[in-house]
Amino acid sequence: MSGLTDLQTLLAGLKPNLVPGDYVFVTLPDAKFGDGAELEPIAAFTETEGMTLVIPKALAGKSGQQSSGEFRMITLHVHSALNAVGLTAAVADALTKRGISANIIAAYYHDHVFVPSSRADDALDALKALANASADRASRTEVQREERKSS
């Protein structure tokens, strides 16, 4: 099943959801895939400097590594295609306008936005506003199309 690529449709259907719990980003130098499994990572990425894991804050002490702040995850429940253009930029722009940093991870079905825990509610509001504005634009566009057809 392929995801959506039309930006207007993606934005109108964002359905952002704030996932319970705090997460941290840690790095394990010289690690390979599978290392750190006891930390129950929800994401992993291997870089030259080490493997970055996104893990529940509650398990951060087990890593022995410093974490880089506390984050909440907002999942965008629209099935975006991996080659969709503009979704990440639109989400980042909406959060930037409110001074909220974002780390966005695209997975196969959904995008996941990590925002500072202290700004999670504001970030959720910003993304809901983006979705609502996009849905309103789509609705107005459809009405205009129908009016042109009947003219």
Side-chain angles (χ1 to χ4, degrees), residues 2-120:
S2 60
L4 300 170
T5 58
D6 178 71
L7 182 59
Q8 190 66 37
T9 304
L10 286 166
L11 294 176
L14 279 182
K15 298 183 197 121
N17 178 53
L18 185 60
V19 175
D22 288 305
Y23 294 91
V24 296
F25 287 66
V26 298
T27 186
L28 304 178
D30 303 316
K32 61 186 181 309
F33 188 75
D35 290 348
E38 72 280 3
L39 301 173
E40 300 175 24
I42 61 167
F45 196 91
T46 303
E47 301 176 281
T48 304
E49 299 85 356
M51 187 168 55
T52 297
L53 300 177
V54 181
I55 63 172
K57 178 188 170 197
L59 298 176
K62 291 183 181 180
S63 74
Q65 302 295 316
Q66 292 291 335
S67 60
S68 59
E70 297 175 14
F71 299 88
R72 294 287 304 273
M73 179 172 64
I74 298 173
T75 296
L76 306 178
H77 286 279
V78 62
H79 182 185
S80 58
L82 291 170
N83 63 342
V85 176
L87 178 61
T88 300
V91 166
D93 183 57
L95 296 174
T96 296
K97 288 177 179 171
R98 296 201 190 189
I100 302 170
S101 66
N103 294 287
I104 302 173
I105 297 176
Y108 188 83
Y109 290 103
H110 306 290
D111 291 81
H112 307 276
V113 185
F114 291 85
V115 298
S117 294
S118 63
R119 301 293 311 275

Side-chain angles (χ1 to χ4, degrees), residues 3 36 141 147:
T141 301
E147 287 173 350

